Amino acid sequence: MRRRILLALILVMTLTTVILFIPAAIALQSAERHEQEVDIQNEAYAAEDQLGTNHAITPVEDHSFAIYDKNDQLVSGDGPAVGDRAVQIALKGAPAITTTGGMIVASAPSEGGGAVRAAESTSEADERAFSAELRLAGLAAGLMAMAIVVAVILSKRLSRPIVALANSANRLGSGDFTIRVDPSGLAEADDVANALNSAAGRLGKLVHRERALTADLSHQLRTPLAGMRVAVESELVAPRADSTQILTEVISAVDRMETAIAELIALQREAKPSGVLVDVGQLAHAAADRWRATAGAQGRDITVGCPSRSALMPIRAVAVDTAMDVLLDNAIVHGSGTIHIDLDVHEGLQRVTVADQGSFTPDAARDPFARRVQDSQHGIGLSLALSVIEAEEGTIDIVNNDPTTFAIVLPLVASLSAAG
């Protein structure tokens, strides 16, 4: 790219210089010839004056002088025996300049009716023109050298942002969405750079969101898949009389997986609906029902304590379901004893707490809600729960370490009687 720009600039400058140099050289040669003609004419007049004053002409190097009478005959000097055209014009009373036989001839009328003839070789004018053309060529060469330097600087200046754009585009194509092209000062290149930066940012967010969705789906499907495996293995070890029971359990697990996939995709890609109110108390009871069998398999129970009034809120039910599933799964895997779900409305906030009989030891160097391993199933649950609740303008906190208690806090819009 840089080489092509450099060659193009040099070509343009060379053509410009040549186009200007040729007319200038022609004009210079014409000017030198005209100057020579003027000089030889002046010498003819000077010779006529000398002849009238001193009756003799002072010799001039490389010039020849001749005197003719009124009959066009050579009287003295260096010239043809019979006057040429310039002499004939001068005998009529007018000065004349002609070129003949490689000589420039000038004549001037004299007082006695004759004429004075002065001549010199045209090569002198050619030599002076050639010398001037050499000086002009030297000036052109200097200008070309300066033009080449300017072309090199401009080619670097013009190619640098293009090279930067090409490198950034290659990095973007390789999956590096952190690329940012700095402004170059060239409006067109900066427009492309801004578009590339914007595209990289959008693609980075899109890929990050899709990777997070993949990891979240993997995490959410882990539990129902494990349940299916346990159910099938148990059935193989101790088959029940009614074989449809295992099929029903597997279908139920598949339904939960389909629901989890649909819910997570909806949370990631669909806009939050307006005007839809959700009863959080009902969602808490439904979550307990979903996980009670899993807890019972470990000899544990899940209880739900609801106040006399439950909250209707403009949130997506799938967000609360996802967060509740994460917290209950976390309590079953890492906690102990009975799991308690409680709801409380206070100061415009709806709080849903999930507590078990275990204890939580905080790590000062690690945020429990941060994804600890990129694109891994580990360290995703709490991060997923927090992200979906934050999308509903709420939050999740650890309100107690012993017993371990998590709280989902959501802004309240309206509270109605559970019976109403």
Side-chain angles (χ1 to χ4, degrees), residues 213 216-229 232 247-266 290-291 318 322 325:
L213 176 60
D216 293 342
L217 284 172
S218 177
H219 177 273
Q220 291 301 93
L221 295 178
R222 177 171 53 86
T223 298
L225 283 173
M228 287 175 60
R229 183 181 184 87
V232 172
L247 296 178
T248 302
E249 293 174 3
V250 170
I251 291 175
S252 177
V254 170
D255 289 340
R256 290 199 301 274
M257 287 190 290
E258 289 181 346
T259 301
I261 293 172
E263 289 177 347
L264 285 176
I265 291 176
R290 286 196 302 273
W291 289 89
V318 61
T322 301
D325 286 343

Side-chain angles (χ1 to χ4, degrees), residues 90-157:
L91 291 175
K92 294 178 181 179
I97 298 177
T98 62
T99 301
T100 179
M103 301 291 290
I104 296 178
V105 179
S107 62
S110 61
E111 293 181 357
V116 177
R117 179 181 183 274
E120 71 171 332
S121 173
T122 56
S123 61
E124 182 177 343
D126 293 338
E127 291 175 358
R128 288 193 293 180
F130 180 71
S131 177
E133 287 169 356
L134 287 179
R135 294 192 297 272
L136 182 62
L139 176 62
L143 291 176
M144 277 298 302
M146 293 178 60
I148 291 174
V149 172
V150 172
V152 171
I153 295 174
L154 284 178
S155 65
K156 289 182 179 179
R157 178 75 176 85

